[in-house]
Amino acid sequence: MKKSVTLGVVFLVLGVVSAILVLPMITSNVPHELRRSKSIRTHTDQQEMNGVDYLFVGNSVIMNGIDCRHFDEISSTVSYNLSSTGQTLSESIMVVDSVGEFSGTIVLGITRAFLCSSSILTPETKSSAYAVYDYEMSDDCREILTKLSDTTFLSVYDKPSWRRDLDSRWMLRGAIDIKMRQTLRRDIDFSKAINDLKFPSPYSKKAKASLVEREIESVFGNNGLSAIHPNKIEAIEMLGKMVKSRGGKLVLLLQPEHPWTEKIYSAVEEEQFQNSVQSLTPQNFTIIDTTRLLAEDQFYDALHPSAEGAKLLTERIYRQLR
Amino acid sequence: MLFHTIPFLVLFICIVVGFAFFKQSNGRKNLLLLASYIFYGWWSPAFVLLIIYSTIVDYFIGRKIFNSSDARVRKKWLVISLCANLLVLGFFKYANFFRDSAVWLANQFGTEWSYSHLNIILPVGISFYTFQTISYSVDIYRREISPAKSFRDFALFVGFFPQLIAGPIVRAKDFIPQLCHRPSLNFTQTNVVLFLRGLAKKVLIAENIAPFVDRVFENPEAWPSVVIWIAVVCFAVQIYCDFSGYSEMAIAIAAMLGYTLCRNFDRPYFSMDPSEFWRKWHISLSSWLRDYLYIPLGGNRGSNLFIVRNLCITMLLGGLWHGASWNFILWGAIHGVILTVHRYYSKFTPLSDRLRNTWIYKGMAMILMQYCVLVTWITFRIESFPSMWVALKKFVLFDFNLSLGGLGLGSMQIFSTFSFLGVFALLHVLGRLGVGVDSLMLKQKRIGFCLCMFFIGVVSVFFWPSEETPFIYFQF
């Protein structure tokens, strides 16, 4: 009996050790909602970026809103859409950092919420995914994230690599969720959403008006989004400087908002925000404001532009950039 | 210090190594006592003094009670013991609660009392070891046991680390006689498997379900009935796995050290009536309440109204034991009502035994009982009465809004939560049918057993939660 117990405990420990050893291999390959970040990483090496003129980064609004195929056609340039679902400003900075030397233009899509809030922490799970997918953090990038006070991101990268590998185990659980989500959300082409670096546009289902209203209330309501937080602008200036030093240019794109958000913001808040934008005198980036560009029928839901909206947005950006 | 942490592993290894050096009973018991105080002091060294205070008071009072032949004197010492214990418990756990409630009540009558909240830290496990020491004094008073032979033995009974923080609440008559024997290491397959079963329940099931539950109950107003239902079921599984898992780990560790602790759970979610539920849920507490509160109040003797009174007082105080908050009292009160209704339904219903033994009756009884249990879990989980009311309404008055779109699907890990729930349900039913994973493991030959352990090691790493969720019963 004692021998069985001893052997059993030995095998238990062996199981634990084996799992820890194979974990990095598994987590970097399991299907996961953050797989797009891995897809982006595999394309941001130097060779892939040669000859690319424009890069777009940001969240799912950019995924649905910027059609790089159409952009390439009208501009006769080469562009990539490196946005991903829920991409925070910190994540966008990591993506830009991973590009390295780049002589083209980087368009950073940003929401009013990001600009006006004091700090937005990237969830630890997302931060650890970047570590699993081999995103490195340069000193410049670290400085910018410190300015943004994204302590979660920084703390993940401060951990030793074995600890990061171990912490990535949450992705196994995430794989169950994404697989079920893929089964239920037939309206979302997950493969395209993960792998398409031109026009991923994961959302294509028109939502009911009542749902749009509820979503707008929950996303935009009670946020007090009127004044741009100076920290954010300083961080974007630092990013612009970093991009400049690597040969490129940075453009800050204020993303389109559903027109019904006008009912959420008071007139004072709206005026305050517009004044904030007007009063910006950026040294290291330029601004394109598309906040009120799209009409309500040019959105699929509370956040995401429709195909028509994407065309309009893409063309507007091209006209402003040329 | 939790059982599934590195510091505890180190402490346990030190105990095992220490047993190799200390062959005599006294040496080993001293080592266990020291380890127990280190275990408790890991959380807060200062509160070790509180346990020592309870130990000293009740040890000497126990001897006074035993040595006196005058019933009045014995009663006097018992009252002193009860006051000494309950005052300490009352101060640390209920001082702010009673004060806040009194001020609130006074303010309803127009007074404008203002006060500053006392900054009192609740010592972990105080409810558990206080009840243990009370039972010791009462059992001596009732002449059911003799006092512990030595102060060290009594101190070990009070502070024995496996059950110190969260039970099972051990009775002196069950534990102290075991101290006559030399503690010895007892690493059997049964004990190891029991520990792993508890660990899996607490860490792999309860802690992985917790984030979904927390997210929904943070703001129950935002969710439709179907989500509230799912969250309540998840919470029922979470609290069961959290607490029974911890109890099983405690029992296994005690067994590895040569001591037997009582079982604390017996698959309560298969209960068909409230009496059965309370015979199977937190058995050590419910039996304590029965023996030291319900029966002394009069128990089942007397008029119907008298029995109802006894039931309700017992359940109200049982609820209050769980926490210094009105929602716990409400939880206890609802269970009191359920017990009362069941008592009179059983007494007056004309159903025959033959009918009661049919599968249909048993199935319906089980469903009804568990529905009631789920309702009470809402009051247990949500402290704020407005939010509790919203959740209760949505649970009881189903709104038939089956839209899960608001969940954002993947973002709340709902499918993986269902997976853990499904695994728990399957294993729980298999266990009830006598073919649980643990019993199958124990029947395996050596190689089969080892492969099972290997698999458990792998699964534990893969699904160990990223964030530690506090053990629910620590707050009690």
Side-chain angles (χ1 to χ4, degrees):
Chain A
M1 182 75 87
K2 252 189 177 167
K3 208 172 175 184
S4 292
V5 171
T6 311
L7 270 176
V9 171
V10 166
F11 269 76
L12 180 74
V13 171
L14 275 175
V16 168
V17 170
S18 307
I20 291 172
L21 290 173
V22 303
L23 196 57
M25 213 164 35
I26 295 175
T27 54
S28 63
N29 289 298
V30 287
H32 195 271
E33 59 186 4
L34 298 177
R35 271 301 286 273
R36 183 167 171 82
S37 303
K38 180 177 182 179
S39 202
I40 291 170
R41 183 69 186 97
T42 56
H43 287 88
T44 52
D45 63 21
Q46 214 49 52
Q47 257 184 314
E48 293 263 357
M49 289 296 113
N50 274 340
V52 175
D53 304 293
Y54 294 94
L55 294 176
F56 295 88
V57 293
N59 61 14
S60 55
V61 175
I62 302 297
M63 286 176 89
N64 247 62
I66 306 290
D67 181 352
C68 284
R69 287 191 186 91
H70 185 55
F71 190 89
D72 293 352
E73 255 177 52
I74 57 177
S75 64
S76 305
T77 57
V78 179
S79 61
Y80 279 133
N81 187 330
L82 304 184
S83 56
S84 56
T85 334
Q87 191 179 96
T88 61
L89 179 54
S90 304
E91 288 177 76
S92 301
I93 292 167
M94 288 291 288
V95 170
V96 170
D97 192 35
S98 71
V99 170
E101 299 288 322
F102 180 68
S103 56
T105 302
I106 295 176
V107 180
L108 168 67
I110 201 156
T111 63
R112 186 194 296 229
F114 275 137
L115 273 184
C116 297
S117 60
S118 54
S119 74
I120 292 179
L121 297 175
T122 308
E124 190 172 340
T125 45
K126 277 188 142 193
S127 314
S128 73
Y130 277 77
V132 166
Y133 296 145
D134 294 329
Y135 280 81
E136 288 172 18
M137 188 187 280
S138 68
D139 292 339
D140 288 336
C141 180
R142 180 176 282 274
E143 223 182 295
I144 304 171
L145 295 188
T146 308
K147 172 56 77 177
L148 284 174
S149 306
D150 197 335
T151 49
T152 321
F153 225 126
L154 293 165
S155 68
V156 164
Y157 273 79
D158 286 339
K159 289 182 195 173
S161 62
W162 67 265
R163 186 60 205 263
R164 289 206 296 255
D165 289 340
L166 187 60
D167 288 348
S168 69
R169 62 188 181 275
W170 64 272
M171 290 171 128
L172 295 172
R173 189 180 164 162
I176 301 172
D177 287 300
I178 197 68
K179 270 294 172 200
M180 284 307 299
R181 200 169 173 222
Q182 280 174 349
T183 310
L184 289 174
R185 292 295 299 264
R186 297 286 187 190
D187 58 303
I188 299 178
D189 184 342
F190 281 87
S191 171
K192 187 165 180 280
I194 289 167
N195 298 310
D196 191 336
L197 296 187
K198 287 290 191 180
F199 187 31
S201 67
Y203 299 98
S204 58
K205 194 175 169 185
K206 184 85 181 151
K208 285 186 207 166
S210 55
L211 188 62
V212 173
E213 242 182 272
R214 268 208 313 270
E215 222 179 309
I216 286 175
E217 181 61 49
S218 89
V219 172
F220 298 96
N222 300 320
N223 281 337
L225 305 173
S226 55
I228 296 177
H229 201 278
N231 240 22
K232 294 293 165 62
I233 293 302
E234 283 167 32
I236 296 169
E237 283 279 13
M238 289 166 77
L239 178 63
K241 200 171 169 190
M242 181 178 94
V243 169
K244 244 187 198 173
S245 69
R246 295 177 183 186
K249 282 192 305 187
L250 180 68
V251 173
L252 182 67
L253 171 69
L254 302 181
Q255 291 172 183
E257 275 186 14
H258 197 288
W260 289 358
T261 57
E262 283 173 340
K263 298 181 214 168
I264 299 288
Y265 307 130
S266 67
V268 170
E269 276 176 338
E270 189 65 31
E271 199 188 328
Q272 247 184 319
F273 180 72
Q274 293 304 329
N275 289 342
S276 267
V277 173
Q278 303 298 333
S279 65
L280 288 175
T281 50
Q283 307 293 312
N284 296 301
F285 62 92
T286 52
I287 301 173
I288 300 176
D289 184 358
T290 60
T291 337
R292 295 290 166 223
L293 175 69
L294 302 179
E296 70 180 73
D297 57 350
Q298 287 160 345
F299 281 89
Y300 279 133
D301 52 35
L303 297 170
H304 304 106
S306 62
E308 187 193 337
K311 187 164 182 267
L312 205 64
L313 179 62
T314 306
E315 287 170 0
R316 165 62 85 85
I317 292 169
Y318 164 65
R319 281 199 299 275
Q320 299 250 207
L321 287 176
R322 108 184 132 168
Chain B
M1 198 192 285
L2 295 173
F3 294 144
H4 55 283
T5 57
I6 304 289
F8 177 76
L9 182 63
V10 171
L11 179 71
F12 195 73
I13 290 171
C14 291
I15 294 171
V16 171
V17 169
F19 270 36
F21 284 102
F22 298 106
K23 301 286 188 195
Q24 301 298 321
S25 179
N26 283 336
R28 288 185 172 186
K29 285 196 273 190
N30 289 338
L31 176 66
L32 283 177
L33 187 60
L34 176 65
S36 297
Y37 288 152
I38 291 171
F39 179 86
Y40 192 75
W42 196 265
W43 170 76
S44 173
F47 285 125
V48 174
L49 297 173
L50 205 55
I51 285 194
I52 293 173
Y53 157 81
S54 282
T55 307
I56 292 171
V57 163
D58 284 296
Y59 177 73
F60 288 106
I61 290 179
R63 298 197 87 82
K64 291 282 186 198
I65 295 172
F66 186 76
N67 291 334
S68 173
S69 51
D70 185 336
R72 280 183 311 177
V73 171
R74 288 172 56 237
K75 197 168 203 170
K76 180 191 84 178
W77 282 114
L78 177 65
V79 168
I80 291 172
S81 167
L82 290 174
C83 288
N85 284 301
L86 292 174
L87 277 171
V88 169
L89 179 65
F91 172 74
F92 281 99
K93 194 163 178 179
Y94 301 107
N96 276 321
F97 169 68
F98 286 131
R99 199 158 114 152
D100 293 349
S101 301
V103 168
W104 178 86
L105 192 63
N107 288 346
Q108 303 313 304
F109 292 99
T111 59
E112 284 176 12
W113 286 0
S114 63
Y115 63 98
S116 54
H117 210 71
L118 295 171
N119 194 18
I120 301 172
I121 301 170
L122 177 66
V124 172
I126 190 170
S127 304
F128 291 90
Y129 70 73
T130 300
F131 269 30
Q132 250 173 242
T133 52
I134 288 175
S135 74
Y136 174 78
S137 302
V138 172
D139 285 351
I140 292 177
Y141 173 80
R142 287 174 177 171
R143 300 279 193 218
E144 287 177 11
I145 58 169
S146 308
K149 284 189 167 47
S150 70
F151 178 78
R152 190 263 325 280
D153 279 5
F154 181 67
L156 196 50
F157 158 67
V158 176
F160 187 45
F161 71 88
Q163 47 80 25
L164 173 60
I165 302 293
I169 300 170
V170 170
R171 305 284 185 96
K173 61 185 167 206
D174 297 325
F175 190 79
I176 290 179
Q178 296 184 59
L179 294 171
C180 294
H181 310 294
R182 186 181 74 131
S184 57
L185 295 175
N186 190 20
F187 289 110
T188 61
Q189 278 182 299
T190 307
N191 294 338
V192 169
V193 168
L194 182 63
F195 181 85
L196 290 175
R197 188 173 96 166
L199 185 71
K201 279 162 97 172
K202 190 201 173 329
V203 175
L204 301 184
I205 305 287
E207 290 193 19
N208 276 315
I209 286 176
F212 173 76
V213 173
D214 291 345
R215 178 96 179 261
V216 173
F217 284 127
E218 219 170 63
N219 186 18
E221 291 84 353
W223 306 104
S225 291
V226 65
V227 175
I228 298 292
W229 261 87
I230 295 168
V232 174
V233 170
C234 286
F235 178 69
V237 171
Q238 179 197 352
I239 193 168
Y240 170 70
C241 289
D242 201 57
F243 196 13
S244 69
Y246 194 91
S247 293
E248 282 169 9
M249 285 195 277
I251 293 166
I253 291 167
M256 288 179 197
L257 297 170
Y259 295 105
T260 306
L261 301 181
C262 61
R263 192 173 181 183
N264 217 10
F265 290 85
D266 186 11
R267 295 196 177 85
Y269 290 148
F270 289 104
S271 304
M272 290 184 283
D273 60 65
S275 301
E276 188 184 356
F277 180 79
W278 282 104
R279 284 198 302 276
K280 297 183 171 187
W281 177 274
H282 201 175
I283 297 168
S284 62
L285 174 69
S286 56
S287 60
W288 193 100
L289 290 171
R290 180 196 63 212
D291 295 341
Y292 300 103
L293 194 54
Y294 182 65
I295 290 174
L297 281 172
N300 291 342
R301 301 186 302 272
S303 67
N304 289 333
L305 206 58
F306 190 71
I307 295 169
V308 168
R309 183 207 75 154
N310 299 339
L311 267 175
C312 289
I313 290 174
T314 304
M315 294 315 295
L316 276 171
L317 291 176
L320 186 62
W321 176 90
H322 281 82
S325 179
W326 285 104
N327 65 300
F328 293 115
I329 295 173
L330 177 62
W331 174 78
I334 295 174
H335 270 287
V337 167
I338 294 170
L339 278 163
T340 306
V341 166
H342 172 257
R343 188 183 164 78
Y344 290 100
Y345 166 80
S346 309
K347 209 172 169 180
F348 296 115
T349 185
L351 291 174
S352 66
D353 283 345
R354 198 171 164 194
L355 185 60
R356 282 179 206 268
N357 283 328
T358 59
W359 283 107
I360 292 174
Y361 179 86
K362 284 181 181 178
M364 284 174 59
M366 196 186 307
I367 290 169
L368 180 61
M369 180 60 216
Q370 298 313 318
Y371 176 84
C372 294
V373 168
L374 290 176
V375 168
T376 63
W377 282 138
I378 296 174
T379 62
F380 190 91
R381 176 62 177 74
I382 305 175
E383 217 171 289
S384 147
F385 274 80
S387 296
M388 185 201 300
W389 179 241
V390 167
L392 280 169
K393 266 201 310 194
K394 290 187 180 197
F395 187 82
V396 175
L397 305 171
F398 199 80
D399 63 14
F400 292 97
N401 174 3
L402 301 178
S403 158
L404 295 176
L407 281 172
L409 295 177
S411 64
M412 273 177 73
Q413 302 179 312
I414 188 170
F415 300 113
S416 52
T417 302
F418 280 165
S419 305
F420 288 111
L421 211 60
V423 166
F424 164 77
L426 177 66
L427 296 179
H428 203 52
V429 167
L430 288 177
R432 173 89 154 109
L433 297 173
V435 286
V437 170
D438 47 339
S439 56
L440 288 175
M441 266 182 77
L442 291 171
K443 287 177 187 162
Q444 298 298 313
K445 290 198 166 79
R446 191 174 291 166
I447 184 70
F449 179 74
C450 289
L451 287 174
C452 289
M453 294 289 272
F454 182 87
F455 178 74
I456 289 170
V458 169
V459 168
S460 299
V461 170
F462 284 172
F463 295 108
W464 197 276
S466 305
E467 285 170 29
E468 196 181 291
T469 313
F471 174 42
I472 296 174
Y473 265 72
F474 268 11
Q475 63 186 300
F476 309 142

